[in-house]
Amino acid sequence: MTVLRKALLVLGLPAVLFAVWWLASAGSTSFYFPPLSEIVAEFGETWTAERWRDDVLPSVARLGAGYAASCVAGVALGLLIGRVRWLFHATEPVLEFARAVPPPVLVPVIMLFAGIGDGMKVAVIVSGCLWPILLNTVAGVRSVEPVQLDTAAAYRLGRTRTLATVVLPGASPRIVTGMRQALAIGVILMVISEMFAAQSGLGFAIVQFQRSYAIPAMWSGILLLGCLGAALAALFTVFDRAVLHWYHRQRTEEA
C-alpha cells in the first residue's frame, strides 16, 4: 500500500495536468497551439529510431560528458579550496564573480576558442554545471564539525584518511545537492548550445521544426525534452538514495 501511495503521489499531478491539457486543447484551431492529441500523434511519427540516433543520443552524450567533467573538476577543486584556508579567502571573490555570470552569455566567447563542434557544446555545459558543484563542495567541506577534525587529528589518521573518512562523508550531502542543481542547468545548456551552429541534437531539431513551421513536431520535441529531464531527475534520485542512504535514514530517525 505504501508503494502504491507513493506512486500515486508522484504520478498523480502529472497525470492530472496532462488530462487538463488534453481536454483544454481538444477544440483548438490555433496554428501555434495545436491539440495535445495532434502533438502525441506527431510524436511517434517524428521521433523514429533514426532521429533518436541522430539527435537524441548525441545530446545525451554531450550532456553526460559535460556533466561528468563538471563533477570531477568541481569536487576536486572544491575539496582543495575548502580545506586550504588561505586559498578559500583568495578565490572567494573570483568564484562569486564567476557564478554571477549567466552561462548562456559565454556561448559566443566559447565558440571563438572551441569552434562549433561537440567540444564547444560540452564546454558550454561545463561552464554552467561546474559552479554549483564547486561552491556546494566548498561549503560542505567548510561545514564539517571541527570536533570531528580534531578527533581525526588526535588519532593521527593523516590527510588522506581524514579526507576519505571525515571530510567527504560530512560534505557529501552538500556535494550531492550541487550535483542535482548542476544536472538541471546542464539540460538547459545542452539545448542552448545546440541552437548555435549545430547539425544535430534536440535543440537543433526543435529550432529546425520551428523554422519550417512544423509546429506539432516542435511541441513534440519540447515534450520529449521534458520527459528526458524528468527521467534524469528520477535516476538522480535513485543515485542520491544509494549514496546518501545513511544521511536519509538519520534524518528520518530524527524526524
Side-chain angles (χ1 to χ4, degrees):
M1 179 64 70
T2 304
V3 176
L4 179 60
R5 185 176 181 180
K6 288 183 178 179
L8 290 175
L9 287 174
V10 171
L11 300 176
L13 182 58
V16 170
L17 293 176
F18 191 85
V20 170
W21 185 6
W22 185 287
L23 295 174
S25 64
S28 175
T29 57
S30 171
F31 178 77
Y32 298 104
F33 298 98
L36 180 56
S37 57
E38 186 177 341
I39 297 172
V40 172
E42 187 69 27
F43 193 98
E45 298 179 6
T46 301
W47 300 104
T48 60
E50 181 180 0
R51 189 170 286 279
W52 273 79
R53 182 195 65 206
D54 295 340
D55 290 318
V56 181
L57 294 182
S59 289
V60 174
R62 293 167 191 142
L63 174 62
Y67 183 71
S70 300
C71 288
V72 173
V75 173
L77 290 174
L79 290 173
L80 178 62
I81 295 172
R83 290 287 288 163
V84 181
R85 185 182 299 273
W86 68 265
L87 187 59
F88 168 75
H89 291 295
T91 58
E92 184 179 17
V94 178
L95 293 178
E96 293 298 332
F97 173 82
R99 179 174 66 169
V101 178
V105 175
L106 299 176
V107 174
V109 179
I110 295 174
M111 287 177 64
L112 291 176
F113 294 97
I116 59 174
D118 288 344
M120 178 274 288
K121 298 170 181 60
V122 173
V124 169
I125 294 171
V126 172
S127 71
C129 292
L130 177 65
W131 305 113
I133 300 173
L134 172 59
L135 294 172
N136 275 278
T137 301
V138 171
V141 170
R142 293 182 61 81
S143 67
V144 175
E145 291 292 337
V147 175
Q148 295 179 329
L149 297 175
D150 293 340
T151 303
Y155 280 97
R156 298 181 180 178
L157 294 184
R159 292 184 178 181
T160 303
R161 290 187 63 188
T162 300
L163 185 67
T165 61
V166 178
V167 177
L168 268 177
S172 56
R174 293 293 296 269
I175 294 174
V176 173
T177 298
M179 293 170 67
R180 182 185 292 276
Q181 295 171 353
L183 182 60
I185 294 172
V187 173
I188 296 171
L189 293 177
M190 174 194 76
V191 177
I192 291 175
S193 67
E194 292 170 349
M195 291 180 173
F196 292 87
Q199 296 182 340
S200 65
L202 267 171
F204 168 78
I206 292 173
V207 170
Q208 291 300 109
F209 293 146
Q210 181 264 333
R211 289 175 177 173
S212 61
Y213 293 95
I215 302 302
M218 181 193 72
W219 279 105
S220 72
I222 296 173
L223 192 62
L224 176 59
L225 186 60
C227 292
L228 176 62
L232 291 174
L235 288 175
F236 192 90
T237 299
V238 174
F239 167 78
D240 182 0
R241 294 291 177 179
V243 172
L244 297 179
H245 58 89
W246 57 271
Y247 175 72
H248 294 295
R249 183 172 63 248
Q250 178 181 348
R251 292 193 62 182
T252 302
E253 291 174 354
E254 291 176 352

